Amino acid sequence: MNERWLPLALGVAWALGTAVLGASLTTIGPWYQGLERPWFQPPDWAFGPAWTLIFALSGYALMRAWRAGAGRLLLGVFVLNGGLNALWSFLFFTSRRPNWALIEIVPLWLSILAMIWLAARHDRVAAWCIMPYIAWVSFAAVLNLAIVRLNGPFG
């Protein structure tokens, strides 16, 4: 592949791959609908657009940072993050274990922090593009905790 297109391909592949994998593990069915959820949870329809924007901005950040000289370490952290993002969806929705997902959100959050830190070393705009991701996952952690408290114990 032409070096000019590689950063774009990496950003798009990460964003689409992470989104598709996470979505495939997310089932909004009777189990989820039956959970008591906190008053401050956004409506279900808001999650799709939020994640789309987050993944698009983060993929763009990967592209920018790669073009600015970030190397395989940044790419590795993005790949790790994609796996952790999918694992959270698997634990929460597929396994129906919000309590385990709450524990797993810590390494997920740390991987986003690492993405920001590594991107910032090469491109400040790239780092800022990842900020909505860490903000949303921080909010998701609060939602996850509230769901565990309102509905636990699980398992």
Side-chain angles (χ1 to χ4, degrees):
M1 174 176 283
N2 183 327
E3 276 297 312
R4 181 172 180 228
W5 294 102
L6 180 62
L8 176 62
L10 291 173
V12 169
W14 177 84
L16 287 177
T18 302
V20 167
L21 185 56
S24 72
L25 297 167
T26 302
T27 303
I28 308 296
W31 174 81
Y32 177 75
Q33 295 299 334
L35 291 174
E36 188 175 341
R37 291 176 270 169
W39 62 269
F40 56 87
Q41 179 169 327
D44 290 341
W45 63 262
F47 287 85
W51 279 116
T52 300
L53 179 62
I54 286 163
F55 289 143
L57 285 170
S58 297
Y60 177 69
L62 174 56
M63 181 191 77
R64 283 187 63 100
W66 187 274
R67 283 191 174 146
R72 293 175 190 238
L73 179 59
L74 178 68
L75 181 59
V77 171
F78 266 78
V79 170
L80 172 67
N81 171 267
L84 290 169
N85 188 291
L87 179 58
W88 185 90
S89 294
F90 174 78
L91 292 171
F92 192 100
F93 292 103
T94 306
S95 296
R96 299 177 179 179
R97 295 302 301 257
N99 53 335
W100 292 355
L102 183 60
I103 295 166
E104 192 274 345
I105 212 164
V106 174
L108 173 60
W109 192 90
L110 291 172
S111 74
I112 302 166
L113 188 62
M115 290 164 60
I116 293 167
W117 182 75
L118 288 168
R121 294 174 58 198
H122 300 278
D123 186 307
R124 296 268 183 214
V125 171
W128 279 104
C129 286
I130 305 168
M131 293 297 184
Y133 190 7
I134 202 162
W136 186 256
V137 170
S138 298
F139 178 65
V142 173
L143 281 174
N144 195 157
L145 176 61
I147 288 170
V148 168
R149 287 186 172 168
L150 291 168
N151 298 278
F154 293 92

